[in-house]
């Protein structure tokens, strides 16, 4: 267990440092937004490009991984929508935002630093594959469903999906994925000076991202939401990794490192922009509280998952 805590504890200590630095005025919450944009627009794209461009295309375009992660994520979205709409009578935006919280992981800010410590360079490939599913499938689908209510629902559904897919071409991380695939396919290499520059920027992603997560948690409120918060946290930290694990068991086997990475990425708390995308529907309060609860609880759930994968399943990277 001490070996597992040696992996997870540093991650959450950096998150705690970010929280305390904002809580006691060393940084402000707007500073966290600036640092977050730096990570999203520069560090993570550099990291993804490096991970994909330096490996053979057959290694980075892994069909079973994509099927397992996409299928598990869609299964959780479907379950959450059925429970929210049919059993609890929720509005479409609320049910969809809960679905998004359960099925879209914080793969770049929290997941990658943890998986990197465990798996090394393979973590970058798994991150890119995970982001393919999240950015090309889960996010556009949930955005489209959230607007699918009212008289013009059918028209808005298609329009929102089209806008979401079009905006992907402006996303630096998606562009980095495409560029990495092109370099891998054509066996291209950056000049030495540019390659070293990209490497330096990529190495900043983990500590800065974790610091931003901590600072962003300051001031979030939990009052009056316990039942819904417990449902979303359970879906994200337990149901999502369980669904991905089940499909990995049913599909053709993949490399042990990628198998571990897929389950771990699914077990991460939800994406850090969760409250931002929910603002449009007036749900930023609930989603911010869900982000706080799930991020704190993930320290215990991820540590337990690592122990179970090693001692109960015999999975080794």
């Amino acid at each position: 267990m001490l070996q597992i805590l040696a992996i997870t504890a540093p991650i959450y200590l950096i998150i705690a440092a970010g929280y305390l630095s904002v809580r006691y005025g060393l940084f402000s919450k707007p500073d966290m937004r600036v640092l977050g944009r730096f990570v999203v627009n520069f560090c993570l794209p550099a990291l993804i490009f490096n991970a994909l461009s330096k490996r053979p295309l057959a290694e980075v375009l892994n069909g079973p991984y994509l099927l397992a992660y996409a299928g598990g994520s869609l299964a959780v979205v479907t379950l959450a929508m059925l429970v929210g709409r049919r059993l609890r009578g929720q509005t479409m935006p609320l049910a969809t935002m809960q679905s998004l919280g359960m099925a879209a992981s914080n793969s770049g800010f929290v997941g990658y630093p943890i998986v990197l410590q465990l798996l090394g360079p393979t973590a970058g490939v798994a991150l890119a594959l995970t982001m393919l599913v999240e950015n090309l499938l889960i996010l556009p689908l949930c955005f489209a469903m959230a607007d699918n209510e009212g008289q013009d629902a059918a028209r808005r559904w298609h329009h929102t999906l089209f806008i979401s897919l079009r905006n992907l071409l402006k996303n630096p991380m998606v562009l980095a994925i495409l560029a990495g695939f092109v370099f891998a396919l054509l066996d291209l290499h950056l000049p030495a000076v540019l390659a070293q520059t990209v490497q330096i920027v990529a190495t900043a992603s983990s500590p800065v991202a974790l610091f931003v997560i901590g600072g962003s948690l300051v001031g979030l409120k939990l009052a009056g939401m316990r039942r819904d918060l417990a449902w979303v946290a359970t879906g994200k930290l337990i149901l999502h990794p369980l669904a991905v694990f089940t499909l990995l068991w049913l599909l053709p086997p993949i490399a042990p490192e990628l198998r571990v990475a897929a389950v771990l990425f699914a077990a991460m708390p939800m994406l850090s922009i969760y409250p931002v995308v929910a603002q449009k529907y007036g749900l930023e309060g609930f989603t911010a509280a869900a982000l706080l609860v799930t991020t704190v609880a993930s320290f215990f759930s991820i540590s337990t998952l690592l122990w179970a994968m090693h001692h109960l399943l015999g999975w080794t990277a």
Side-chain angles (χ1 to χ4, degrees):
M1 195 64 183
L2 289 177
Q3 290 178 325
I4 293 170
L5 291 177
I7 294 173
T8 56
I11 302 301
Y12 289 89
L13 286 174
I14 298 174
I15 292 176
Y19 179 89
L20 293 172
S21 71
V22 173
R23 175 68 178 79
Y24 292 103
L26 186 60
F27 288 92
S28 66
K29 290 204 75 170
D31 292 335
M32 296 300 104
R33 287 193 286 271
V34 173
L35 291 173
R37 287 198 297 270
F38 171 64
V39 173
V40 168
N41 292 318
F42 290 95
C43 299
L44 286 178
L47 169 70
I48 292 169
F49 175 79
N50 265 354
L52 295 180
S53 64
K54 296 180 179 180
R55 293 171 179 262
L57 187 62
E59 183 178 343
V60 299
L61 198 58
N62 190 294
Y65 185 107
L66 292 172
L67 283 173
Y69 203 90
S73 300
L74 287 174
V76 171
V77 168
T78 302
L79 175 64
M81 290 299 296
L82 288 173
V83 171
R85 294 289 285 168
R86 300 285 180 86
L87 299 183
R88 306 181 69 182
Q90 295 173 340
T91 64
M92 181 64 80
L94 178 55
T96 303
M97 286 300 103
Q98 290 190 0
S99 301
L100 179 64
M102 295 182 189
S105 294
N106 196 334
S107 48
F109 282 17
V110 180
Y112 175 75
I114 291 177
V115 179
L116 175 65
Q117 290 189 77
L118 192 65
L119 304 179
T122 302
V125 175
L127 172 64
L129 292 170
T130 301
M131 284 190 164
L132 274 177
V133 174
E134 291 172 346
N135 286 286
L136 299 182
L137 178 63
I138 300 303
L139 285 171
L141 176 64
C142 286
F143 291 158
M145 289 194 305
D147 285 331
N148 188 25
E149 194 164 59
Q151 293 182 346
D152 297 325
R155 183 184 65 81
R156 287 208 310 270
W157 195 97
H158 293 94
H159 176 71
T160 305
L161 183 59
F162 171 76
I163 294 298
S164 298
L165 292 173
R166 186 181 67 182
N167 287 341
L168 288 174
L169 296 178
K170 303 176 184 178
N171 186 316
M173 287 183 286
V174 173
L175 293 176
I177 290 171
L178 296 176
F181 279 141
V182 170
F183 270 65
L185 176 64
L186 301 178
D187 195 25
L188 300 176
H189 302 279
L190 290 175
V193 173
L194 286 179
Q196 184 62 18
T197 302
V198 172
Q199 178 62 34
I200 292 172
V201 175
T203 56
S205 62
S206 294
V208 178
L210 294 170
F211 194 85
V212 168
I213 285 290
S216 301
L217 296 178
V218 175
L220 300 185
K221 306 297 183 182
L222 306 180
M225 310 175 187
R226 292 183 181 178
R227 183 181 177 189
D228 284 340
L229 292 177
W231 168 235
V232 173
T234 299
K236 185 70 209 70
L237 301 178
I238 298 176
L239 297 181
H240 193 196
L242 182 61
V244 171
F245 168 81
T246 301
L247 285 179
L248 284 171
W249 179 63
L250 294 173
L251 289 169
I254 61 176
E257 296 88 351
L258 288 176
R259 179 181 60 185
V260 171
V263 175
L264 280 177
F265 274 120
M268 297 300 144
M270 67 277 292
L271 67 172
S272 58
I273 61 169
Y274 186 43
V276 177
V277 300
Q279 286 178 344
K280 177 181 178 181
Y281 312 103
L283 297 170
E284 62 270 26
F286 169 76
T287 52
L291 176 64
L292 173 59
V293 168
T294 309
T295 301
V296 173
S298 67
F299 170 75
F300 304 98
S301 63
I302 292 170
S303 298
T304 302
L305 177 61
L306 286 170
W307 179 87
M309 286 196 297
H310 180 70
H311 293 282
L312 300 182
L313 299 176
W315 286 13
T316 56

